[in-house]
């Protein structure tokens, strides 16, 4: 039993953890080239956002929770 415990403790102490901050939002509405998005706390009004496919859209109406 103690060997199992020592093995588990060794695995836990050798575990590598990494964190990465991501700013994720939700697209609530799209129309006339404007996307209404909520949840992106690091953006500003009328900021151009990259949706990951190379297309950029101005952010016209941020919503805060």
């Amino acid at each position: 039993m103690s060997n199992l415990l020592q093995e588990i403790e060794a695995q836990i102490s050798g575990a590598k953890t990494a964190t990465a901050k991501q700013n994720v939002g939700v697209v609530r509405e799209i129309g006339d080239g404007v996307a209404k998005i909520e949840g992106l706390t690091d953006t500003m009004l009328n900021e151009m956002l990259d949706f990951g496919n190379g297309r950029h859209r101005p952010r016209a109406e941020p919503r805060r929770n």
Side-chain angles (χ1 to χ4, degrees):
M1 183 71 160
S2 65
N3 287 341
L4 178 60
L5 182 58
Q6 289 174 346
E7 187 176 326
I8 292 172
E9 287 175 344
Q11 288 180 0
I12 291 172
S13 66
K16 295 180 182 176
T17 59
T19 60
K21 181 181 176 183
Q22 290 185 337
N23 195 1
V24 179
V26 177
V27 177
R28 294 292 180 192
E29 187 179 332
I30 298 175
D32 294 330
V34 175
K36 293 183 181 180
I37 302 170
E38 16 177 285
L40 296 178
T41 57
D42 293 342
T43 59
M44 298 178 66
L45 182 67
N46 293 326
E47 185 173 345
M48 298 293 279
L49 301 176
D50 183 353
F51 285 89
N53 60 359
R55 297 179 185 208
H56 293 79
R57 296 283 187 260
R59 179 176 176 182
E61 202 172 304
R63 293 183 180 178
R64 303 286 183 218
N65 293 338

